[in-house]
Amino acid sequence: MPQKRLRGVSLALAAVALAVLLAGLLPSCPVRTVDAQLLSGLTGILGTLLNGVSSTLAATLGLVGGTVTTVTGVVVDVTAYLSQPVQCSGSVCVKLDDYDQSHSDLADVNAKVLLWSPKVAHVTAGKTYDPRGKDWVSVVATCRELFQYEKRLATFFIRASFHDSMAVDVSQCPGPNCGGADASLLLSIEEMARPENAYDDFSLIAARAAKKIASFFDISVADTLAVCAAVGPEVLSKGRIKILTGTGAGVLRVGRLDNIRPSPPGNLPPNHADLTSFAKFWKERGFSEAEATALMGSHALIDTQACFNGRRINDYCDPATSDCSNVRMFRWENHYYKDICSPTLSITPLTPEDMALDPVETPILGMSDPELDAEARQETCKFTSKEAQAVALNNLAQTVAVTWTNKNCRAGAAYGINVTQHCPHAYLWFYTTNDAYLGQACQGVGSAPEAVAVRNAARSYVNNQATWDATYRSAYLKMVSTFATWSQIATTNPVYINGGECASGTHLEAACAQASPGLATADTKSLYSGSYILLGSLLGGACRDCAKGVCPQPSQCGQCVNTFNNRLLVPRNPLVTEANCCSCASLLRSTRYNATRDASGNTYVTSTTFVVRWPDVMPISQPAQPIPADQGGAVPPRPLDTTPFNDGVAPPASTSLATVGDASSVCPSAHGTIIKVRGFPSSPFKWTPFTQTYANPPRAQIAASYVKPGTNMTVDAYEIDIFATAKNIGCPAGKPTWSLTYNGSVPGPSFRVLKGRQTLVRFNNRLTPANLSGTPFSEFHPCEGTRSGRPISVHYHGSASLAPYDGWAEDTTCGAESKDYYYPNWRAGFGWYHDHQLDITSENAYFGLSGLYTTVDKAAEGGCGEPWNLDGIPEWDMQFKDAVLDSNCQLYYDRAGPHRNNLYGDINFVNGIPWPVATMEPRWQRFRWLVSSVARPYKLRFVNADGTDFSGGKCQVIGGEAGTRRSPVSYPAAGLFMGVAERYEVVCDFSGLSGKTLFLVNAYDDRRMKDVPYYCHSHLVMKINVACNSTGCPASPPAFQPPSSSRVTPLDRVLNQTDIDRALAMVANKQCTRTFRFGRRHGHWVINGESWHTARVAASDVGHNTWEVWCLETGGGWFHPIHIHLVDFFVLARNWDVNQVHDYERWIGKDVVQLDPSAHIALLLRFGAHRGEYMFHCHNLMHEDFEMMRSFHVMPTPGSRTASTALPMQSDPTIVTTLNYVYDLYDDPVYPAAGPKPTSTLTPLRTPSASTTAALSMPIDRAIHRIYYPYGSTNITSAGAAKLANPVTNPWLVPICKPQKAYP
């Protein structure tokens, strides 16, 4: 490498350069505005290149007049291209006039670079291409400097050497669109590292940089790629592996010809090739399985790894706060083999029908601005230079699906993987299908000779980095020769290089010729100009030729060096040797140029390394130019689905009870037949609905109860065991079905809790390895090592819980561990509890881990009473979900196959019973409905036996997730749409229906249920026989009494009309506090282009006790039920239109909203009462497990929009200090003090003991829910308690209307 000194030109030239810069003459290349006086001085040289090119060179380049003809025959006028008075490369420029005076052959040099002729067989340049006369050491030095500056280009070149090394498209060469260097006298590293396009196309970006280098050194692009790709591992391994040694015999053959088309077929096996086809491809080309496996190790650099560091599952580097230049994709190491050999890999063949299930990528032109911004943040750490980071808005058909989980990760220890370091591995599969097949072979799949050879090789590379390095080096050298097409000269005279050759003679560099840095001395200039009077006459001008790199007899150049040294007036410079000057043949220079301020007051700094050809060339600097805009243009407004709807129109009676679709194609003809609808398989049974009796889940039983003496504060305790069990659920084959259960039931026990009574629920995880043995269920990460079993995390969905008790996805309770969850129960509402364990929520919940949790306020049960005479109306709490069974009556779940994006079943369950039959009295009935399916939404209607609508005229929607509404609304005759996790409360008048039959049906909605499969009985949910009980019908049953005025809901207490009006005004102006787009990028479900593992926190600055307008968007033709933890919200508008909000979801507190296909929703969220980090995600559990989940952090944020109701408490330092006592502790969702504990160390809550009393009294003694219940704790000062107990000051205060006591 050359000495990096600031080298210069004459003071006159520096003055000219500075004058040009100060005048702002170089905003871009070519010059757009030029000082008039300077222009007059330039007019004489406008034709320097065009008129000065020698006839010999013009003929070689095909320059005729002002035109050239490209290799494909296109005639291009290059007059303007060759007549530019200033040539630029990046932010450094050269003024041609200053060099024409001393370099008479400048025109030839520039034209040869600017009009570089590709080395193609049918053109002269290709036929005469002689690699022996090229400056390979400078090519190597340039590649090395480029890769040290921008590591990602090293990965691009290495990958391109496989895909495109012999076939970069040079069809537009020669000419201005060829992609060669922008200037002949310099080649800036910054310019080469600056991607020309805004898409992540590694081959195009590598080709562009390669063409620049190729044109500068007059070599082929194919040789450039091969040489640079050999340098890449050296840079990325920090010198550990050197393919080009720089000394000794040559190893890499050069002399390749280019092509006029990219990627000719046959360069690589198909990316879906199985192991046999893969090995066959390489064997036919002379490569062993070990060599082919070693070459595939270059996928260690594949860029889908993004910012992954590799030390833990969610270790992604944040370029905003960290140096991300050493993430895994920039490290030449054998982590690739550890990844593919991890026994966590599965491959599922896909049919065309299966592949049609995969949603398309969110198109970049359809991205909203927030998603574009998020994409930029995600991609920036893939680049190591700031210039490349600035353009990192990138767009990064398999026949198999590859699934990579951490299940069984530690089994890799059997063949050498250091599982302590490697497990858990990253969540995302980084590689290709080829890699997956190699990985399976490494894991022991297959006994064919190819599989055994791959297995032995991959395992050896896992255990020995040096073995892979050595095998890759030899295989690479073979590979880039096997696929090459050689020039005629290189065929006759094969040339091999080691990367240290100066084959054409010695380039005498000024830096080596001077004892000190600075402007070139007269002697240095003399050396470069070759003006040795005596020696020149003796050697016939050889020194002048040597200075230009043309030296038929290299020894003469050595004589020139010695003669120069003898002429120096200073002591002999030890740097001036033939070897040293050869190694810095072309000048790689670093410069930092500080420009003065421009007219706008901006100061520009140019800092770059560039390659020059002459010692007296010092580029002038221009202001940094903006990155070119994406050629796709500005992001257009996204089209929204504004299809009109009418909830008041019922479907025709003839369709209500009829199968949706063609019965012959969606209904099995007999047992044993599996029907596929939209690619999703059914159970292999012919079902008969309405054969089982409806039943409620068991009621959760209180294990212990506590009342704080002298207060009205209570805590009730429950204990839930989680274990697997097999029960008969009505499968036609008569076999029991295995489930994961809470206390042995599916659904789990239903909680019925009085508002104002806090609860402690202890969940004991009995899913230990011993208990899992013999079941379909297995252990999973992170329950491994010192912990074991199957992990769980419990989320009470509908509670504003403190962060450590919210069911954080990584707050894991393993087998033989227990966790105590504390819930405030601050308002009446209809919630549920379910598993929320990271990566396996869908599996745990689908197999049974969910249950109802209802908080009531009935006067008869000790509460304040419910509105509208609801206290006396019978209640039916129902949980709807679908499922599919296999032939053994087991729940079918294949997340690597048909269920990788959605899970739909052919059986509708109500409280775990398929299509039940319920008997209800002819009176008003109250229903609480929850959709707990994995993916399927429901659109529920009551219809009569003849299919006519019943619910539209006899039912009303009275409440939902956050309790009862302000006032009831009419039930939609078209059906009540419910996405996954949505809840609604409904009352219906069954009076006068004794002896009648009603059906609860699931109406199909082709707009909101896009691509949801309906099987033979998917439209049926349950049957209701209306009849009196055994003692007859009640004489005068309590009737629903509609209100005369609206009531104040809990959400209205903390969010008043002033806030609502301001939020509506924002929506009217299409303004949002935050926008989140739910889409699909790089094959993964994401929010704003990011996922849980790549960038968990989506909003880190949500203010405590504030409100915000969140706008949610879909990224394509699919739908998502969105759940936001902690908060209740109002739906303000759909598609920016308040009139598109459905009446039943308007002005009702919600925590889930259905985001329809191609839709936009505006929500008003009230943050509080707690601080901390909370999740929000798509509640399609397959989407959630596959990364469509992120978090927000509620914290004191200056300038936040404080809710009007909270203004008094936010401004009172006593209240703030009092609340901070709790929130400073409970801000962390994995707060260690609230974490799981070994079950063996805990006393059962049913057993009276000091530990039980301590557990029960803790939330009162510490007042962890003090914003709701500011009583009974010594941790609260009397002043703080008094202020929190004032409902005017504290809108969160929970009214407790009656004296409370401990339950027996």
Side-chain angles (χ1 to χ4, degrees):
M1 290 292 295
Q3 299 294 313
K4 293 187 177 179
R5 299 173 179 169
L6 188 62
R7 308 163 183 117
V9 296
S10 66
L11 291 174
L13 177 58
V16 170
L18 185 58
V20 171
L21 186 64
L22 290 175
L25 300 180
L26 300 173
S28 63
C29 290
V31 176
R32 291 185 294 197
T33 57
V34 185
D35 179 86
Q37 184 176 0
L38 183 61
L39 262 180
S40 64
L42 292 176
T43 53
I45 59 97
L46 286 178
T48 297
L49 280 180
L50 186 59
N51 300 324
V53 175
S54 67
S55 58
T56 302
L57 182 62
T60 302
L61 298 174
L63 179 60
V64 179
T67 67
V68 292
T69 302
T70 70
V71 293
T72 55
V74 178
V75 178
V76 181
D77 188 337
V78 294
T79 303
Y81 186 54
L82 294 178
S83 299
Q84 295 174 4
V86 177
Q87 294 179 6
C88 299
S89 182
S91 57
V92 289
C93 301
V94 172
K95 185 168 168 245
L96 302 183
D97 189 36
D98 292 315
Y99 307 111
D100 187 45
Q101 304 301 319
S102 57
H103 302 294
S104 58
D105 56 353
L106 180 65
D108 273 12
V109 173
N110 278 275
K112 193 171 185 179
V113 176
L114 287 170
L115 299 182
W116 171 78
S117 187
K119 309 305 182 278
V120 180
H122 66 276
V123 301
T124 302
K127 295 175 182 177
T128 62
Y129 180 39
D130 187 351
R132 294 173 297 179
K134 306 304 177 183
D135 184 9
W136 296 111
V137 68
S138 295
V139 176
V140 170
T142 302
C143 296
R144 185 180 293 116
E145 186 73 26
L146 174 62
F147 297 159
Q148 288 171 343
Y149 176 81
E150 177 50 80
K151 288 184 179 178
R152 198 180 194 199
L153 276 173
T155 74
F156 282 174
F157 269 80
I158 292 169
R159 292 162 62 191
S161 71
F162 287 83
H163 294 266
D164 295 285
S165 65
M166 309 314 140
V168 172
D169 186 355
V170 294
S171 59
Q172 298 188 74
C173 302
N177 296 320
C178 175
D182 291 326
S184 61
L185 297 177
L186 71 161
L187 182 64
S188 79
I189 302 299
E190 170 195 83
E191 174 67 12
M192 282 193 292
R194 170 172 155 164
E196 195 168 45
N197 60 314
Y199 295 98
D200 185 13
D201 189 327
F202 72 86
S203 60
L204 287 179
I205 295 175
R208 177 180 180 271
K211 285 185 205 175
K212 280 178 169 288
I213 298 171
S215 61
F216 194 84
F217 295 107
D218 194 29
I219 59 178
S220 69
V221 178
D223 271 343
T224 304
L225 278 166
V227 171
C228 287
V231 176
E234 173 190 334
V235 173
L236 298 179
S237 69
K238 299 180 179 179
R240 189 189 67 246
I241 174 177
K242 283 193 174 183
I243 295 175
L244 297 175
T245 59
T247 59
V251 293
L252 176 64
R253 189 178 177 187
V254 290
R256 295 166 181 77
L257 290 181
D258 294 319
N259 205 309
I260 61 172
R261 58 188 175 89
S263 297
N267 264 22
L268 285 176
N271 62 0
H272 59 270
D274 60 19
L275 187 67
T276 301
S277 302
F278 176 84
K280 180 175 182 291
F281 172 91
W282 288 103
K283 279 184 178 179
E284 289 174 346
R285 290 154 179 81
F287 291 80
S288 68
E289 289 89 346
E291 290 173 318
T293 304
L295 290 173
M296 293 297 286
S298 65
H299 280 184
L301 314 175
I302 206 161
D303 54 5
T304 50
Q305 294 181 81
C307 314
F308 186 57
N309 269 326
R311 288 183 289 272
R312 54 186 182 275
I313 193 170
N314 58 352
D315 184 8
Y316 283 78
C317 185
D318 180 359
T321 58
S322 306
D323 176 11
C324 299
S325 61
N326 198 40
V327 293
R328 285 208 328 173
M329 66 171 292
F330 296 139
R331 302 202 297 264
W332 185 266
E333 59 184 36
N334 59 351
H335 62 250
Y336 164 83
Y337 299 101
K338 300 171 185 176
D339 287 345
I340 69 168
C341 292
S342 178
T344 60
L345 188 63
S346 65
I347 303 175
T348 304
L350 301 177
T351 65
E353 184 181 30
D354 294 331
M355 288 186 284
L357 297 176
D358 286 329
V360 297
E361 294 281 304
T362 303
I364 197 164
L365 288 181
M367 284 186 179
S368 64
D369 289 340
E371 186 166 1
L372 284 170
D373 293 340
E375 277 285 293
R377 288 193 298 274
Q378 178 185 358
E379 304 288 339
T380 51
C381 66
K382 294 182 181 179
F383 297 92
T384 52
S385 62
K386 292 181 179 178
E387 291 76 18
Q389 290 177 358
V391 291
L393 300 179
N394 300 317
N395 180 27
L396 294 172
Q398 303 281 355
T399 58
V400 301
V402 179
T403 303
W404 200 33
T405 71
N406 277 288
K407 190 175 184 178
N408 302 323
C409 185
R410 289 180 170 267
Y415 39 86
I417 296 177
N418 185 336
V419 295
T420 301
Q421 294 181 358
H422 188 71
C423 297
H425 56 61
Y427 179 69
L428 304 178
W429 173 248
F430 299 132
Y431 309 111
T432 69
T433 305
N434 291 156
D435 303 311
Y437 283 120
L438 293 178
Q440 284 202 325
C442 180
Q443 296 165 29
V445 176
S447 58
E450 299 92 339
V452 173
V454 167
R455 182 175 308 133
N456 293 337
R459 292 183 179 183
S460 70
Y461 304 151
V462 164
N463 291 293
N464 195 319
Q465 174 76 56
T467 300
W468 174 46
D469 286 350
T471 309
Y472 179 87
R473 181 179 186 273
S474 61
Y476 173 81
L477 293 170
K478 181 193 290 189
M479 185 268 294
V480 292
S481 295
T482 299
F483 293 103
T485 301
W486 306 104
S487 70
Q488 295 176 4
I489 296 175
T491 301
T492 305
N493 302 288
V495 177
Y496 292 85
I497 66 170
N498 61 37
E501 296 85 357
C502 290
S504 64
T506 305
H507 295 243
L508 305 179
E509 200 219 310
C512 297
Q514 291 187 202
S516 60
L519 296 175
T521 64
D523 282 341
T524 300
K525 291 182 178 180
S526 176
L527 173 63
Y528 256 82
S529 64
S531 58
Y532 307 107
I533 298 174
L534 177 62
L535 191 62
S537 61
L538 294 175
L539 299 179
C543 291
R544 178 185 295 273
D545 294 336
C546 287
K548 297 176 182 176
V550 180
C551 189
Q553 299 181 41
S555 62
Q556 292 181 344
C557 294
Q559 295 177 46
C560 294
V561 171
N562 290 331
T563 300
F564 174 76
N565 275 322
N566 292 333
R567 292 180 59 233
L568 289 177
L569 298 178
V570 297
R572 183 180 181 87
N573 182 358
L575 293 176
V576 183
T577 66
E578 185 170 356
N580 281 356
C581 291
C582 182
S583 68
C584 47
S586 285
L587 316 184
L588 273 76
R589 297 179 170 182
S590 296
T591 182
R592 182 176 178 85
Y593 195 96
N594 296 291
T596 55
R597 287 188 175 90
D598 64 10
S600 301
N602 299 311
T603 299
Y604 298 99
V605 178
T606 295
S607 180
T608 187
T609 299
F610 54 95
V611 187
V612 296
R613 293 181 175 275
W614 308 99
D616 52 348
V617 171
M618 180 57 172
I620 56 179
S621 175
Q622 67 168 342
Q625 299 303 300
I627 300 300
D630 181 354
Q631 295 304 306
V635 178
R638 293 199 321 107
L640 300 175
D641 183 358
T642 56
T643 305
F645 61 87
N646 189 341
D647 285 336
V649 177
S654 60
T655 65
S656 297
L657 295 172
T659 296
V660 176
D662 181 5
S664 64
S665 63
V666 299
C667 296
S669 57
H671 290 324
T673 302
I674 295 177
I675 299 293
K676 276 194 172 184
V677 182
R678 298 186 186 272
F680 294 94
S682 71
S683 306
F685 303 112
K686 184 177 181 180
W687 292 93
T688 301
F690 312 134
T691 61
Q692 298 190 52
T693 303
Y694 172 89
N696 287 313
R699 183 68 60 84
Q701 301 299 308
I702 293 177
S705 188
Y706 171 81
V707 60
K708 176 83 171 181
T711 73
N712 210 19
M713 305 297 295
T714 55
V715 178
D716 300 317
Y718 300 81
E719 194 147 10
I720 303 293
D721 288 341
I722 302 172
F723 57 90
T725 188
K727 291 186 177 181
N728 188 341
I729 63 171
C731 176
K735 299 178 181 178
T737 301
W738 278 99
S739 298
L740 296 172
T741 71
Y742 294 121
N743 276 6
S745 69
V746 176
S750 293
F751 286 81
R752 187 179 179 89
V753 175
L754 185 65
K755 184 206 74 180
R757 295 183 70 96
Q758 301 176 68
T759 49
L760 156 62
V761 184
R762 175 174 294 170
F763 288 93
N764 303 311
N765 187 353
R766 309 294 187 184
L767 300 173
T768 62
N771 291 339
L772 291 171
S773 178
T775 77
F777 310 112
S778 59
E779 296 182 79
F780 200 83
H781 167 81
C783 299
E784 45 197 13
T786 58
R787 307 172 77 188
S788 62
R790 187 175 183 86
I792 61 99
S793 177
V794 182
H795 171 49
Y796 170 12
H797 185 145
S799 173
S801 303
L802 288 166
Y805 305 122
D806 187 55
W808 183 255
E810 294 182 90
D811 182 24
T812 298
T813 302
C814 291
E817 295 178 354
S818 300
K819 170 155 177 157
D820 289 350
Y821 289 82
Y822 290 93
Y823 302 127
N825 307 313
W826 74 282
R827 53 137 173 83
F830 178 28
W832 62 306
Y833 63 103
H834 61 83
D835 190 76
H836 214 301
Q837 176 60 40
L838 187 68
D839 297 343
I840 57 171
T841 294
S842 61
E843 189 172 353
N844 282 354
Y846 177 64
F847 280 94
L849 293 185
S850 69
L852 299 174
Y853 192 115
T854 305
T855 305
V856 300
D857 201 16
K858 284 182 174 289
E861 299 179 35
C864 298
E866 295 190 301
W868 314 325
N869 205 32
L870 291 173
D871 284 33
I873 298 177
E875 301 174 10
W876 303 81
D877 296 349
M878 298 177 179
Q879 186 176 157
F880 307 113
K881 68 183 294 185
D882 62 332
V884 57
L885 301 180
D886 63 18
S887 58
N888 290 316
C889 296
Q890 303 309 306
L891 288 166
Y892 179 51
Y893 174 93
D894 185 0
R895 67 187 290 167
H899 302 147
R900 61 189 177 279
N901 291 308
N902 297 289
L903 192 161
Y904 297 113
D906 58 324
I907 315 164
N908 280 331
F909 289 88
V910 182
N911 292 347
I913 303 168
W915 300 287
V917 179
T919 300
M920 300 184 187
E921 294 180 337
R923 56 184 295 185
W924 280 92
Q925 304 286 347
R926 180 180 182 180
F927 301 94
R928 293 189 183 94
W929 288 340
L930 157 70
V931 173
S932 64
S933 54
V934 171
R936 181 183 294 278
Y938 285 77
K939 192 171 185 178
L940 299 173
R941 301 175 59 223
F942 282 118
V943 299
N944 296 301
D946 61 359
T948 55
D949 178 63
F950 174 84
S951 50
K954 295 290 187 178
C955 300
Q956 294 193 55
V957 181
I958 63 167
E961 286 113 63
T964 49
R965 301 174 52 89
R966 292 175 174 178
S967 58
V969 296
S970 298
Y971 193 98
L976 178 64
F977 191 96
M978 298 181 64
V980 176
E982 283 194 286
R983 288 97 69 205
Y984 283 102
E985 292 193 50
V986 174
V987 291
C988 295
D989 186 4
F990 288 1
S991 302
L993 295 184
S994 182
K996 300 290 183 67
T997 297
L998 297 175
F999 293 91
L1000 183 61
V1001 298
N1002 180 22
Y1004 181 67
D1005 187 325
D1006 59 358
R1007 183 175 67 91
R1008 303 190 73 185
M1009 295 179 176
K1010 184 176 174 62
D1011 294 330
V1012 173
Y1014 264 56
Y1015 302 91
C1016 192
H1017 305 302
S1018 292
H1019 63 297
L1020 302 176
V1021 179
M1022 67 181 296
K1023 179 180 178 181
I1024 299 173
N1025 293 324
V1026 183
C1028 299
N1029 59 35
S1030 57
T1031 61
C1033 292
S1036 299
F1040 176 70
Q1041 296 177 358
S1044 58
S1045 61
S1046 297
R1047 60 184 295 271
V1048 177
T1049 69
L1051 187 52
D1052 290 318
R1053 291 208 329 259
V1054 297
L1055 192 65
N1056 65 23
Q1057 194 61 42
T1058 300
D1059 302 320
I1060 294 172
D1061 289 342
R1062 290 175 62 193
L1064 287 171
M1066 289 179 62
V1067 174
N1069 291 316
K1070 293 189 175 181
Q1071 296 175 337
C1072 311
T1073 310
R1074 306 175 197 272
T1075 297
F1076 297 104
R1077 189 154 187 236
F1078 293 76
R1080 190 170 174 84
R1081 297 291 292 140
H1082 315 312
H1084 304 287
W1085 296 108
V1086 291
I1087 304 172
N1088 282 4
E1090 300 279 10
S1091 63
W1092 182 264
H1093 288 111
T1094 61
R1096 187 184 73 224
V1097 181
S1100 61
D1101 58 348
V1102 176
H1104 185 220
N1105 260 319
T1106 62
W1107 60 267
E1108 293 186 355
V1109 174
W1110 281 23
C1111 292
L1112 314 180
E1113 296 180 345
T1114 44
W1118 47 85
F1119 57 86
H1120 303 286
I1122 308 304
H1123 173 41
I1124 304 172
H1125 287 226
L1126 175 68
V1127 301
D1128 293 332
F1129 55 74
F1130 284 137
V1131 180
L1132 297 182
R1134 285 185 177 272
N1135 302 321
W1136 296 113
D1137 185 355
V1138 295
N1139 295 316
Q1140 288 196 37
V1141 178
H1142 299 268
D1143 285 344
Y1144 53 83
E1145 65 180 0
R1146 188 192 307 274
W1147 305 128
I1148 180 174
K1150 293 182 63 60
D1151 57 42
V1152 179
V1153 65
Q1154 177 78 4
L1155 185 54
D1156 294 330
S1158 301
H1160 179 283
I1161 294 180
L1163 307 176
L1164 171 55
L1165 282 69
R1166 174 63 160 92
F1167 290 98
H1170 307 311
R1171 291 192 347 228
E1173 189 175 354
Y1174 293 86
M1175 300 172 285
F1176 71 104
H1177 54 86
C1178 175
H1179 219 292
N1180 178 322
L1181 299 182
M1182 304 310 297
H1183 296 185
E1184 178 184 330
D1185 276 351
F1186 285 100
E1187 296 288 279
M1188 193 173 262
M1189 177 168 67
R1190 296 183 69 187
S1191 73
F1192 61 91
H1193 197 171
V1194 181
M1195 58 189 297
T1197 304
S1200 296
R1201 190 183 292 104
T1202 299
S1204 299
T1205 54
L1207 286 172
M1209 67 188 311
Q1210 290 294 83
S1211 60
D1212 190 312
T1214 300
I1215 293 180
V1216 171
T1217 301
T1218 300
L1219 293 176
N1220 284 348
Y1221 178 85
V1222 171
Y1223 297 141
D1224 288 347
L1225 293 174
Y1226 288 87
D1227 181 83
D1228 185 357
V1230 287
Y1231 177 41
K1237 299 176 175 59
T1239 306
S1240 61
T1241 65
L1242 301 176
T1243 302
L1245 293 174
R1246 292 188 179 278
T1247 303
S1249 65
S1251 62
T1252 297
T1253 301
L1256 283 165
S1257 62
M1258 187 278 286
I1260 303 175
D1261 291 343
R1262 298 185 184 177
I1264 63 174
H1265 299 134
R1266 60 185 59 192
I1267 199 167
Y1268 300 127
Y1269 310 109
Y1271 320 104
S1273 172
T1274 57
N1275 291 328
I1276 303 180
T1277 64
S1278 57
K1283 290 184 176 183
L1284 285 175
N1286 183 347
V1288 176
T1289 304
N1290 177 15
W1292 299 99
L1293 185 68
V1294 177
I1296 301 176
C1297 300
K1298 297 181 180 181
Q1300 301 296 311
K1301 61 181 181 180
Y1303 290 135

